[in-house]
Amino acid sequence: MAKGYFITLEGIDGCGKSTQAKLLYQHLQTKGCRVLLTREPGGTDLAEEIRRVILTPGKEELDPMAEILLYAASRAQHVNYLIKPALEAGQVVVSERFVHSSLAYQGYGLGWDLKLIRDINSLATGDIQPDLIFLLDSTPETSGKRVAKRSKINGHNTDRIEMRGLSFQDRVRTGFLKLAQEDPSIILINTAGKSINAVFLEITGILSEKLNI
Ligand code: TYD
């Protein structure tokens, strides 16, 4: 039985989750928690290699079932070699993305059966569940502008998923919102018109209720 606490941040591309994840990491550290900040796809060396395979556009198209399985393979590495050991050692784990990204992107975005994705992921993760999931909701238009700006500033090349465009991101967003409606463990944070600090205050407010810190 894990002794730690598992927090995930979810949302469409450019929703601001990386910024909030970093702030959350620092906040938890200042509160005296031992924290692991990690991300998906990726998190371990091997899982980061799988990330590169999934996201780097190439001559050959990525088969959609291969895509689902590669995300799940990366997740199995991540869970078994990083997340579980950290939780067992009593750490707070903050992960940018987890299974809900596969449900939203490959399920709602690409149209694959949600039960199939849940089953594959329950095999990959041994059914480990986050204790708390923050869904940062933002429109594809606002998020798309952030992704474009980031690309300009740090030369980040548009990846395979970002290349799918606004209507894909819109289906993914609708998917995330449906998942949040059905699952009370997902905390929906509406980021529209809010500053980074205002969003962060909402996150820490909820965290102090749940973790008493
Ligand atoms: P992410 O690292 O959040 O993107 P960014 O480089 O913008 O910070 O995630 C990479 C992409 O992978 C993103 O478009 C979402 C996608 N993704 C899925 O489609 N399914 C998944 O299960 C996961 C974890 C990510």
Side-chain angles (χ1 to χ4, degrees):
M1 195 51 185
K3 291 179 285 186
Y5 198 81
F6 185 20
I7 303 170
T8 63
L9 290 120
E10 299 280 7
I12 61 173
D13 292 81
C15 67
K17 73 189 154 26
S18 299
T19 306
Q20 295 298 333
K22 282 187 199 93
L23 289 171
L24 187 54
Y25 172 74
Q26 286 159 5
H27 175 78
L28 287 164
Q29 277 193 321
T30 59
K31 295 282 176 184
C33 301
R34 285 184 306 125
V35 200
L36 171 74
L37 176 61
T38 184
R39 69 166 182 183
E40 288 206 348
T44 72
D45 289 351
L46 241 171
E48 290 288 332
E49 276 190 50
I50 300 173
R51 175 190 176 96
R52 192 183 45 73
V53 170
I54 303 173
L55 295 179
T56 312
K59 271 191 264 157
E60 184 176 339
E61 264 187 53
L62 181 60
D63 174 76
M65 180 43 75
E67 179 174 317
I68 293 174
L69 293 170
L70 283 169
Y71 279 117
S74 139
R75 190 161 291 134
Q77 282 299 122
H78 192 207
V79 166
N80 289 307
Y81 290 97
L82 198 65
I83 295 179
K84 264 195 190 159
L87 291 173
E88 274 156 17
Q91 286 187 257
V92 180
V93 175
V94 177
S95 179
E96 293 180 39
R97 302 193 181 283
F98 197 58
V99 175
H100 287 87
S101 279
S102 285
L103 294 168
Y105 280 80
Q106 282 65 52
Y108 286 96
L110 291 183
W112 281 82
D113 181 49
L114 292 181
K115 180 168 182 315
L116 176 82
I117 296 172
R118 284 188 206 277
D119 288 349
I120 290 170
N121 276 281
S122 112
L123 279 176
T125 62
D127 250 347
I128 187 172
Q129 310 282 345
D131 296 294
L132 191 56
I133 302 160
F134 289 106
L135 169 59
L136 304 185
D137 181 52
S138 120
T139 65
E141 288 74 16
T142 308
S143 299
K145 278 187 200 143
R146 280 202 204 111
V147 172
K149 196 171 157 197
R150 181 179 61 186
S151 305
K152 239 181 157 180
I153 292 171
N154 60 17
H156 162 91
N157 292 322
T158 309
D159 68 37
R160 203 193 294 269
I161 309 291
E162 287 161 1
M163 284 164 82
R164 291 179 180 155
L166 277 189
S167 62
F168 177 78
Q169 294 289 333
D170 205 37
R171 290 200 296 283
V172 174
R173 180 193 184 202
T174 306
F176 272 129
L177 291 173
K178 279 196 187 141
L179 292 167
Q181 266 173 8
E182 291 156 10
D183 181 352
S185 69
I186 302 178
I187 310 286
L188 174 63
I189 302 202
N190 177 359
T191 67
K194 290 180 191 155
S195 66
I196 290 174
N197 203 35
V199 172
F200 186 57
L201 277 176
E202 283 190 40
I203 291 179
T204 51
I206 288 154
L207 206 67
S208 66
E209 274 172 35
K210 304 265 177 194
L211 271 178
N212 214 5
I213 53 169

